Amino acid sequence: MLFHKVSKKYESEATKFIAELKQKNPQLEEQQRAGRALLWDKAPIDLDKVAREQASRVKQQSYVYQNH
């Protein structure tokens, strides 16, 4: 059910700004992907290594500053 006509010719100021920015700097998306990979993409987890690290931990005392 369509209540109003949708104009496909309209572009918001934000859309125009982004299109202009991409036109001025064509490698922008590639730089964004590289930045995302640097900050968010992580190396695969070695489950054996994690299990060994957890097994080798020494349990901490409930009150650290108390000497026995």
Side-chain angles (χ1 to χ4, degrees):
M1 187 180 213
L2 188 62
F3 291 109
H4 58 82
K5 292 183 179 180
V6 178
S7 176
K8 296 185 181 203
K9 296 180 182 179
Y10 173 75
E11 281 189 18
S12 68
E13 290 181 23
T15 305
K16 289 178 185 177
F17 171 75
I18 292 172
E20 183 181 324
L21 186 64
K22 287 181 181 180
Q23 189 176 25
K24 287 180 183 177
N25 190 358
Q27 65 271 23
L28 179 67
E29 288 185 32
E30 183 180 325
Q31 291 172 346
Q32 287 177 328
R33 285 191 198 99
R36 179 192 181 279
L38 179 68
L39 296 174
W40 294 101
D41 293 347
K42 298 179 182 175
I45 297 173
D46 183 8
L47 297 178
D48 293 331
K49 181 180 175 185
V50 171
R52 280 180 289 164
E53 288 174 355
Q54 288 178 347
S56 66
R57 288 190 178 163
V58 177
K59 188 174 179 181
Q60 186 176 3
Q61 300 178 40
S62 49
Y63 185 67
V64 184
Y65 301 107
Q66 182 179 8
N67 296 328
H68 287 293

